[in-house]
Amino acid sequence: MTNVGYSAQTLRVLVVEDEPYTREELTEFLADTAEVSEILAAESGEAAVRLLGGGAFDAVFLDISMPGLDGMDVARVISMLSTPPAIVFVTASDSHAIEAFGIGAVDYLLKPIRPERLAESVARIARLRRATTEAPPADELAVVQIEHSRRTIFVRRDDIQFAEAHGDYVRLHTADGTHLIRLSLSYLEDVWAPAGFVRVHRGYLVAVGWVHDLRVTSSAGLVACTPAGDVPVSRRHARGLKERLIEAARNGQLGRAAK
């Protein structure tokens, strides 16, 4: 199935689902998204591996529970490809979420599939693909230039402890204060991910190296504590943040405030 209007910025997608109704529904939802140009479908893990060996894909929407090769098996095959596509798991249970993100999944969708939730995944994949194909410099926005009425302020990315969505702007929090910049939080999430910034809430990114502890409060629930202030952590992102903090601690990447 192919959408008209193919361009270099659209996505070639593989759907892997053993249930015919869900496979057809997912294919139809994807066909309605502007970012997707071509969709192939596989009814099993074995069929998916054959298709993956025959051509490149930008994304694979992958059921986990399938007879024979299940979704996790297929994901491990994908991880060995020279240019692996983005993986989005589509499943009826959240019990595999930790393992899925450990494999490197971009997203994890629960059945029944909601079109708006699927559209979020597609948009994220498209952003990641643009960031890769347009090849921004590895140090892009290592220094943020902020224009005021009669002066320009330069803020080092490494001094930014967390970023907060603020309407059409993002508020950057440092030890010396805050600064507003007209960028989207999603863009900063993609560009700054290699520098250790992670999404912890719909409206917040935090620099893992600046987090000195996690705390449960009566007003905000779980928060990540940084010298510049406390950052709310949503339930959806809590486990992922904890895993990143453990990894950073093992690698000696925590404790910037003490250095």
Side-chain angles (χ1 to χ4, degrees):
M1 180 180 298
T2 305
N3 285 342
V4 296
Y6 178 81
S7 74
Q9 294 301 320
T10 53
L11 305 173
R12 187 170 190 254
V13 171
L14 174 62
V15 172
V16 187
E17 169 62 64
D18 65 316
E19 296 177 359
Y21 174 80
T22 305
R23 186 169 64 247
E24 182 177 347
E25 180 183 55
L26 184 54
T27 300
E28 290 178 353
F29 287 163
L30 286 167
D32 287 336
T33 61
E35 297 93 341
V36 174
S37 64
E38 184 178 358
I39 307 166
L40 276 69
E43 73 283 357
S44 68
E46 291 81 0
V49 170
R50 288 194 294 271
L51 286 171
L52 287 163
F57 291 88
D58 298 299
V60 178
F61 288 79
L62 183 59
D63 185 24
I64 290 181
S65 299
M66 296 184 294
L69 284 179
D70 66 16
M72 291 298 175
D73 295 328
V74 176
R76 294 184 185 96
V77 172
I78 290 173
S79 69
M80 294 186 287
L81 298 175
S82 57
T83 307
I87 298 173
V88 175
F89 283 106
V90 183
T91 180
S93 170
D94 61 2
S95 61
H96 296 283
I98 297 174
E99 184 180 2
F101 287 115
I103 289 176
V106 170
D107 209 344
Y108 192 96
L109 304 182
L110 291 176
K111 301 176 184 177
I113 303 161
R114 292 186 293 117
E116 62 273 19
R117 183 67 182 84
L118 179 64
E120 290 178 7
S121 286
V122 172
R124 178 170 177 77
I125 292 166
R127 287 198 307 271
L128 292 171
R129 183 171 182 265
R130 284 195 299 270
T132 301
T133 58
E134 294 172 6
D139 62 347
E140 181 167 346
L141 293 185
V143 176
V144 179
Q145 180 176 316
I146 302 171
E147 302 290 344
H148 287 273
S149 56
R150 294 188 176 181
R151 62 190 180 122
T152 301
I153 296 176
F154 297 92
V155 180
R156 295 174 65 247
R157 179 189 58 205
D158 289 348
D159 293 332
I160 298 167
Q161 300 181 22
F162 65 95
E164 175 187 4
H166 194 82
D168 293 333
Y169 292 77
V170 172
R171 187 178 295 279
L172 306 175
H173 293 257
T174 72
D176 299 324
T178 66
H179 307 276
L180 277 176
I181 185 169
R182 195 178 179 88
L183 288 173
S184 74
L185 198 68
S186 295
Y187 175 74
L188 290 181
E189 179 183 10
D190 292 338
V191 173
W192 282 355
F197 283 78
V198 298
R199 177 85 68 160
V200 294
H201 188 278
R202 181 176 60 184
Y204 290 87
L205 302 177
V206 71
V208 170
W210 282 106
V211 177
H212 52 75
D213 67 273
L214 299 177
R215 187 176 305 160
V216 177
T217 67
S218 57
S219 57
L222 183 66
V223 296
C225 303
T226 75
D230 293 345
V231 184
V233 180
S234 69
R235 183 177 300 177
R236 173 186 172 191
H237 294 95
R239 188 179 297 273
L241 175 61
K242 291 175 182 178
E243 291 174 353
R244 288 295 300 274
L245 290 171
I246 292 172
E247 179 185 357
R250 287 172 177 165
N251 296 331
Q253 295 171 341
L254 290 183
R256 288 185 191 173
K259 294 180 181 179

